[in-house]
Every structure is written in structure tokens, then in C-alpha cells.
Amino acid sequence: MSPPFSIVFLMVIMGDRKAMSEWVTVYQAANNLEAYTIKGALEVSGIKVQLKGEALAGALGELPANAIEVTLLVRSYDIESSQLILARYQQDERPAWYCSQCGEHNAGSFEICWQCGHDVQAVSQ
């Protein structure tokens, strides 16, 4: 989310253009759910995060949640810390699975089917 116009205007007036451009991409999430999970993990560690593309999911209608990727951005000085957290996140990834109830494809991080709410333990891998 971009800062409000008034803050951007003040930053430009005060000559702080670098502060506006120091956000760098650190991760491309498959969907809003993954983006917010990672955002929370980074913010708990004191890293500020911006999401880019999250609002586009509302325009999708009946398309699956993973049709729009969400970009996570952090300040350039937080990139190394962010990459360490992301490396741990990616090591913990479980394989994707198909729901035996409705047949929906789910990311490994989902413990219940996002489509019907069926439990992952009740499905075949």
C-alpha cells in the first residue's frame, strides 16, 4: 500500500525522494493468503512490508485465489533479514494437495481446503 498523498507530497517537498524509492521486491506470493502470512512473519521481526497487487484480487470474481500474484516489498536495508526469514519459510513448505471433497488444488501451507473447508488430513496426497 502506498503512503497517503499528503505524506508523499511532504517527502518530496522535504527532499526525501530516496525514502520513496528504497522499497525493493523480496518475494512474489502466489495469492493474498500467502502474502499476508509472509507479511506477518516479516512484521513480527520488525520489518516493514508493502504489498503490491493485493487489491487486484477483488476484480477477479469467480477465478481462483491464486490467479493474481502479490509482490512483497521491503526497505533495501531489510533485504538480508527478509531473505533469512523467507528461506526458513520455504524450507517449511509442504507439498501441494488436492481436496478429496471438492477436488480443489491447495497450497501446502493450507491445512484446510480454501474452497470447501475440508481438512487436509482427510485427503490423499
Side-chain angles (χ1 to χ4, degrees):
M1 185 163 87
S2 299
F5 176 77
S6 57
I7 292 174
V8 173
F9 182 73
L10 286 174
M11 291 166 75
V12 171
I13 294 292
M14 297 172 72
D16 194 6
R17 293 178 187 185
K18 182 182 177 196
M20 293 184 340
S21 64
E22 65 184 24
W23 293 91
V24 293
T25 298
V26 71
Y27 190 78
Q28 194 75 28
N31 53 53
N32 279 346
L33 295 172
E34 182 184 27
Y36 277 99
T37 299
I38 296 169
K39 182 178 189 265
L42 293 171
E43 288 179 339
V44 164
S45 299
I47 300 170
K48 292 185 178 189
V49 180
Q50 288 186 358
L51 299 179
K52 182 179 174 185
E54 67 175 318
L56 297 175
L60 292 178
E62 296 296 319
L63 294 176
N66 63 353
I68 291 285
E69 292 183 341
V70 180
T71 303
L72 284 88
L73 301 119
V74 298
R75 303 260 182 173
S76 57
Y77 53 80
D78 284 328
I79 193 79
E80 288 182 39
S81 301
S82 300
Q83 289 173 336
L84 290 173
I85 293 166
L86 287 166
R88 283 194 305 262
Y89 167 76
Q90 291 171 326
Q91 287 174 353
D92 290 341
E93 283 187 15
R94 290 170 269 160
W97 54 278
Y98 289 90
C99 178
S100 63
Q101 185 76 22
C102 69
E104 187 62 43
H105 182 264
N106 292 276
S109 59
F110 292 5
E111 293 181 6
I112 61 170
C113 176
W114 74 269
Q115 179 69 24
C116 71
H118 202 63
D119 193 339
V120 67
Q121 294 174 354
V123 301
S124 59
Q125 296 288 332

